[in-house]
Amino acid sequence: MGDKAGINRSLSTIRTELEYLRDSGVLNPAQFNSIFAQLPQQGGIPSQYIDPHYGGPQMVNPGAIAQQAQDPASPANPAHPNHHAWVKSFASRLGQAATFGAGATMGSDLVNSIV
């Protein structure tokens, strides 16, 4: 992790620049508030901001999948005629998530090794 004093100086500079852009009329108040809400708070406390377009983390409910597997009309049920396609798409999504996670980890490690 970087120097905390340097990080705080950087955040202070960002806040000052944002305030200047707002006062200059480059940013309207809604834009300023949205950007400002995404910055960490003083003392390194992470922002509680959730992007309204994203809506927060989407968690898989294992109980719901298990319940779907009991429903004969659901493709999650092994007796359903489309079960094979459902399993294949589910496995594909898991593979994509693993690939994305590995790429994000390697990218983060690369950036951290440079910094």
Side-chain angles (χ1 to χ4, degrees):
M1 182 107 196
D3 175 29
K4 288 190 180 208
I7 292 170
N8 287 334
R9 276 194 303 274
S10 297
L11 288 172
S12 176
T13 303
I14 292 170
R15 287 186 178 93
T16 303
E17 290 172 353
L18 283 172
E19 290 166 354
Y20 173 77
L21 292 172
R22 178 197 58 197
D23 296 342
S24 301
V26 175
L27 294 175
N28 66 37
Q31 291 170 322
F32 172 79
N33 291 335
S34 174
I35 296 169
F36 204 80
Q38 296 175 49
L39 295 175
Q41 303 304 312
Q42 293 291 347
I45 300 170
S47 170
Q48 298 300 315
Y49 178 82
I50 296 177
D51 187 349
H53 298 292
Y54 174 63
Q58 307 293 319
M59 296 296 185
V60 174
N61 182 355
I65 294 174
Q67 193 172 24
Q68 289 173 355
Q70 303 302 319
D71 180 11
S74 172
N77 187 320
H80 193 277
N82 293 336
H83 179 70
H84 179 72
W86 180 84
V87 169
K88 186 176 178 182
S89 72
F90 190 75
S92 173
R93 287 181 284 178
L94 287 176
Q96 291 170 356
T99 303
F100 176 80
T105 301
M106 288 189 313
S108 173
D109 291 344
L110 177 66
V111 169
N112 288 334
S113 70
I114 293 170
V115 175

